[in-house]
Amino acid sequence: MPNRVFLYFLKGGFRIAKYFDGRRQSYNIKDISHILLLNTTAMGDTLLSTPAIRVLREVFPEARITSFVSPIAKEILLNNPNINRIIDYSGRISLPFFFRLPGIIKGLRKERVDLSIVLDSNDPEAGPFSYLSGAPVRIGWHESRLSFLFNLPARKKINGLHIVDIKLKALETIGVKAVGRKPEIFLSEEEETKADRMLRDEGLSEEGIVGIHPFGAKRYKWWPEEYVVSSCNLLLKRYNYRTIIFGGNKERPFAKEMFGKISVKPLIAAGKLSIRESAALIKRCSFFITSDSGPMHIAQAVGTPTIAIFGPTDPSSTGPTGEKNIVLKKEINCSPCKVYDCSHVSCMKATGIEDVIGAIEEMKRRGWIT
């Protein structure tokens, strides 16, 4: 209830402010010299925004592009040559946040942006930050709870269209026709060197390793532990592949539990590396087995052939977008769904080890791996 009351007053306050707003609403695409991008969500969403960022740089080669980002989004966009400046945003609304808010708004207005674009951001912050930046032209999502703050709203939910294409389509509101769907991440030499050193220290070579990320933002997206254990054993026995289990700090205990059940011990990268260091290590894998997750999109961004296991989510909207990928999804009556506390996860259990082996053989036939 308190959140509803807060949102009610927030909407009312901004409607009044917008009524008395005298800033110009018209624009000329030739006059756009400074663009503000809002990316304050998670890893996967940010990676799926990078094709749109690339297109903006191509269309506006001389423009200054500033990105307002959450800590995770910053990990993805760091070193991106299409972005001139990154502004940090904590991404958490709390009491200290309200004390910092005037400084955040002052900093955004100081940028003097011509165009603000919400590529992905959490409500209810997206609309207010876009509006308070002072940008006369504001692209955002029609489905947002404060969509009236955007003067060029775009549809975020379009049946049958992938999220990356929806982000690109949003640019059509200013007449930009976009092509190219591959996500991007730009790694430093230091990050690349650390990945090489880690493999060397473990006595591994790039030609014989497979990355596995069986986790997801929600437990109902996880590939079952027993499948992971059996796959690691079978990959070694049948193909002589050593495995690396990826994940974050929260998944590390689960990865270590799997470690104890695998005959030839895998390398546990979960919780040991940053997002960017993980990306460098994924880049060195022969291929990557993953659930629907941010690391799935990282694998596509670094060009690693990917086997993506889907269950409750729809690959047509969130699946891999690179050239070398195979999606595994069994038709289950209750999938896709949004039952976050699903106890049986039949959809994830339906894709077994032999399905993965079949995908590996298909990648071999296509010449993606040897």
Side-chain angles (χ1 to χ4, degrees):
M1 182 61 71
N3 288 337
R4 289 184 180 181
V5 172
F6 171 73
L7 187 59
Y8 175 81
F9 283 105
L10 191 68
K11 282 183 176 180
F14 274 108
R15 285 193 184 278
I16 293 170
K18 192 168 183 290
Y19 179 79
F20 291 102
D21 189 353
R23 81 181 82 171
R24 61 184 173 86
Q25 299 296 315
S26 60
Y27 71 95
N28 186 330
I29 194 170
K30 295 180 180 179
D31 295 334
I32 293 174
S33 61
H34 195 169
I35 301 170
L36 175 67
L37 308 176
L38 290 96
N39 263 101
T40 63
T41 48
M43 188 193 314
D45 285 331
T46 304
L47 276 161
L48 293 177
S49 296
T50 56
I53 296 172
R54 182 176 61 244
V55 168
L56 285 169
R57 174 52 69 208
E58 292 169 356
V59 175
F60 302 99
E62 303 302 322
R64 180 173 172 81
I65 298 179
T66 298
S67 191
F68 184 71
V69 299
S70 62
I72 291 179
K74 182 178 181 178
E75 287 274 297
I76 299 300
L77 297 179
L78 203 63
N79 295 336
N80 191 313
N82 301 314
I83 296 173
N84 297 101
R85 185 185 174 209
I86 288 177
I87 298 177
D88 294 318
Y89 168 59
S90 67
R92 293 183 179 179
I93 295 181
S94 59
L95 185 59
F97 165 82
F98 287 103
F99 287 106
R100 294 194 302 269
L101 188 57
I104 295 173
I105 295 169
K106 183 179 179 180
L108 288 176
R109 295 187 73 86
K110 190 177 179 181
E111 295 292 321
R112 301 181 67 83
V113 298
D114 305 300
L115 168 63
S116 172
I117 305 175
V118 177
L119 286 173
D120 224 293
S121 186
N122 291 320
D123 268 333
E125 306 104 303
F129 279 132
S130 176
Y131 180 77
L132 292 170
S133 72
V137 186
R138 301 176 300 280
I139 298 174
W141 302 116
H142 181 274
E143 293 84 354
S144 168
R145 286 170 284 182
L146 296 169
S147 61
F148 63 89
L149 293 175
F150 305 120
N151 48 19
L152 291 175
R155 291 283 180 183
K156 189 177 183 179
K157 297 178 181 178
I158 304 175
N159 289 337
L161 205 60
H162 195 284
I163 290 175
V164 73
D165 298 310
I166 290 173
K167 291 174 188 285
L168 291 169
K169 191 173 179 62
L171 301 183
E172 293 180 9
T173 59
I174 54 171
V176 173
K177 296 291 184 180
V179 294
R181 308 172 76 241
K182 185 178 181 295
E184 296 177 310
I185 185 169
F186 297 88
L187 303 173
S188 69
E189 184 178 344
E190 182 181 353
E191 290 155 352
E192 301 269 17
T193 300
K194 183 169 182 177
D196 288 331
R197 185 168 60 247
M198 190 173 186
L199 290 179
R200 186 171 60 249
D201 291 346
E202 294 291 330
L204 299 174
S205 65
E206 292 184 28
E207 295 181 357
I209 57 170
V210 176
I212 299 183
H213 180 265
F215 311 110
K218 303 291 183 182
R219 286 294 297 266
Y220 73 117
K221 288 185 177 183
W222 290 23
W223 201 40
E225 176 189 290
E226 60 270 25
Y227 293 7
V228 179
V229 171
S230 297
S231 292
C232 289
N233 289 329
L234 191 58
L235 284 168
L236 180 70
K237 182 179 179 180
R238 186 175 296 190
Y239 300 106
N240 199 32
Y241 284 130
R242 292 286 300 279
T243 50
I244 302 175
I245 298 179
F246 289 84
N249 285 322
K250 293 180 180 178
E251 291 83 37
R252 184 166 177 78
F254 300 96
K256 290 179 72 175
E257 189 173 335
M258 295 175 192
F259 178 89
K261 300 175 181 179
I262 298 169
S263 56
V264 176
K265 303 308 180 189
L267 172 60
I268 302 296
K272 292 181 66 176
L273 304 173
S274 70
I275 291 172
R276 298 179 63 79
E277 290 165 349
S278 294
L281 196 55
I282 291 171
K283 182 178 178 180
R284 283 150 177 77
C285 293
S286 297
F287 59 94
F288 195 62
I289 302 170
T290 178
S291 60
D292 175 20
S293 59
M296 174 186 72
H297 297 297
I298 284 180
Q300 294 289 277
V302 299
T304 300
T306 306
I307 298 172
I309 302 170
F310 274 71
T313 49
D314 183 1
S316 69
S317 63
T318 62
T321 55
E323 295 178 354
K324 297 180 180 180
N325 67 79
I326 293 177
V327 173
L328 299 178
K329 179 177 172 61
K330 294 297 180 67
E331 294 300 323
I332 302 293
N333 291 336
C334 57
S335 175
C337 76
K338 290 186 178 179
V339 183
Y340 301 129
D341 60 348
C342 176
S343 58
H344 58 81
V345 288
S346 301
C347 55
M348 291 303 292
K349 292 178 180 177
T351 299
I353 303 159
E354 289 306 319
D355 296 306
V356 171
I357 295 300
I360 293 171
E361 293 297 330
E362 179 60 26
M363 289 198 296
K364 284 179 174 291
R365 282 193 292 272
R366 297 183 187 184
W368 296 351
I369 61 175
T370 56

